[in-house]
Amino acid sequence: AEELDFVADQLGLTTIPPGPSGQCQPYSAFAPLSSCLWPLWEVALCGEPLVIFSPDYPTRVAGAVLAVTSLISPVEYMGDYRPYFTIYDGDFEYYRNCVQSNAISSQAAIFGVTNPMIMQLWARFPTGLLLRPLHGGTLPLPEAHHQVLLESPQGERLQRLRREPLPKVKGTKPWGSIMDDQHDERLIMQPDEQFLALLETPCDEDKDQMARRYFYELTLAFLRPFLPHLKLLKGPEAFNEESFLASLQPVGPFSQLPRADCQLLYDRFINGINFQPWLTKELAKQHLNDKDSAGAVSPSDESA
């Protein structure tokens, strides 16, 4: 707790920043498949594409999309997010072509859809979350090219597109790269079984607030290794990924990951859409604080 308080203090945070549309409901949006919160945090943090489908009211998928974007607070989600996306949207054909040409993997975008036709047209979307309708109805069965990562007894599921692994290229980084992960249905983050059991235990506490606090602290722990580098950088362009990953000292649950997996997770974040805006913002805040400190005049200086 003290370590996370230190990170929050260094980043100038006193409360959990709200998501794009205020306080979202990460537990309510995905129960009873609460275990999907960890891989969804990973997908959002790394800026990877995600489609959330339910043949239910649009408010269901819209709330789920907004909940995913808020999971990575205090990092701001910088990708495209569409709480309710339809075939009538002006750029539907653009994204359809991206999926069919396998170019969608390079797009940071989260879609909420209710039309089964979109799911048929987007059959090869990299990551999909399918939520059972609350008012009856069924979900389409997974296809052979999908790997079901998580599934609830009620039928909700998180699925990942199966891909052929890329051939190993001599001289590549030992921790892999973001392109390696796009050809691997595996996700790194696993549910915290202790916290998951707490979420799934009946109680009077606000479980959405519990989930917001948990993933806020998870993101703070993830950001901790960047703090020493922030103090040394003159600008975002000076950040050296290779040096950072070689000297990486993860904390919290990230210290329990195999080192190669941990480096890969940080590599994907650094090369994703959220990192540079976050880094630029933090360096600007640090520069402003340094100017304020330098401009402060002590009483002894005034008398001199």
Side-chain angles (χ1 to χ4, degrees):
E2 289 183 5
E3 181 81 19
L4 297 180
D5 288 342
F6 171 75
V7 178
D9 180 67
Q10 292 294 299
L11 298 179
L13 299 168
T14 56
T15 59
I16 303 175
S21 64
Q23 296 288 8
C24 294
Q25 299 179 307
Y27 171 76
S28 301
F30 303 111
L33 194 63
S34 305
S35 56
C36 74
L37 288 168
W38 284 263
L40 292 181
W41 175 89
E42 179 179 340
V43 166
L45 185 77
C46 298
E48 296 177 358
L50 172 71
V51 59
I52 300 175
F53 168 77
S54 178
D56 212 330
Y57 299 120
T59 51
R60 179 95 190 277
V61 293
V65 168
L66 295 174
V68 173
T69 63
S70 70
L71 275 181
I72 61 174
S73 178
V75 174
E76 183 178 355
Y77 181 76
M78 301 302 295
D80 186 10
Y81 62 95
R82 308 295 182 89
Y84 180 48
F85 192 68
T86 75
I87 60 174
Y88 303 107
D89 279 78
D91 49 2
F92 173 76
E93 283 300 320
Y94 167 76
Y95 280 116
R96 177 185 177 180
N97 291 333
C98 283
V99 174
Q100 294 181 344
S101 65
N102 292 325
I104 192 66
S105 293
S106 62
Q107 301 281 337
I110 303 175
F111 303 95
V113 304
T114 61
N115 189 339
M117 182 183 297
I118 295 181
M119 295 303 289
Q120 293 173 13
L121 294 171
W122 287 4
R124 300 195 67 80
F125 203 95
T127 306
L129 178 66
L130 287 79
L131 301 174
R132 182 176 58 89
L134 298 176
H135 306 285
T138 59
L139 293 172
L141 295 173
E143 299 187 37
H145 51 260
H146 288 139
Q147 169 71 33
V148 177
L149 303 183
L150 296 168
E151 188 170 16
S152 75
Q154 293 78 13
E156 288 91 350
R157 69 178 184 270
L158 179 70
Q159 63 189 30
R160 192 90 157 156
L161 182 66
R162 295 182 189 274
R163 293 179 183 265
E164 292 298 324
L166 288 175
K168 295 297 181 182
V169 179
K170 189 174 182 180
T172 54
K173 292 179 283 188
W175 51 83
S177 72
I178 189 169
M179 289 307 297
D180 293 328
D181 187 73
Q182 290 172 356
H183 289 75
D184 183 355
E185 62 266 20
R186 183 178 62 95
L187 287 168
I188 291 171
M189 294 301 294
Q190 298 296 316
D192 177 334
E193 295 298 339
Q194 185 175 356
F195 182 72
L196 183 60
L198 188 63
L199 274 183
E200 295 177 345
T201 300
C203 66
D204 295 330
E205 292 189 54
D206 184 343
K207 293 187 177 181
D208 286 309
Q209 176 59 26
M210 289 167 56
R212 282 194 295 268
R213 167 62 61 177
Y214 175 91
F215 283 97
Y216 167 72
E217 293 183 349
L218 183 68
T219 309
L220 289 183
F222 181 81
L223 295 175
R224 176 63 178 90
F226 291 103
L227 295 188
H229 296 262
L230 291 179
K231 295 187 178 300
L232 300 175
L233 294 176
K234 299 299 182 183
E237 69 284 347
F239 180 80
N240 186 309
E241 178 189 356
E242 188 170 353
S243 173
F244 172 81
L245 291 175
S247 61
L248 177 63
Q249 295 183 332
V251 302
F254 305 101
S255 64
Q256 306 303 311
L257 294 173
R259 186 161 181 82
D261 282 356
C262 189
Q263 288 175 319
L264 176 57
L265 182 61
Y266 277 92
D267 179 42
R268 286 162 54 207
F269 172 61
I270 291 167
N271 287 283
I273 199 169
N274 299 314
F275 175 66
Q276 280 295 327
W278 173 81
L279 181 62
T280 300
K281 181 179 178 181
E282 292 305 321
L283 290 176
K285 284 163 52 178
Q286 180 174 286
H287 179 66
L288 186 60
N289 291 337
D290 291 345
K291 283 182 65 177
D292 290 343
S293 300
V297 182
S298 66
S300 58
D301 291 335
E302 289 178 342
S303 60

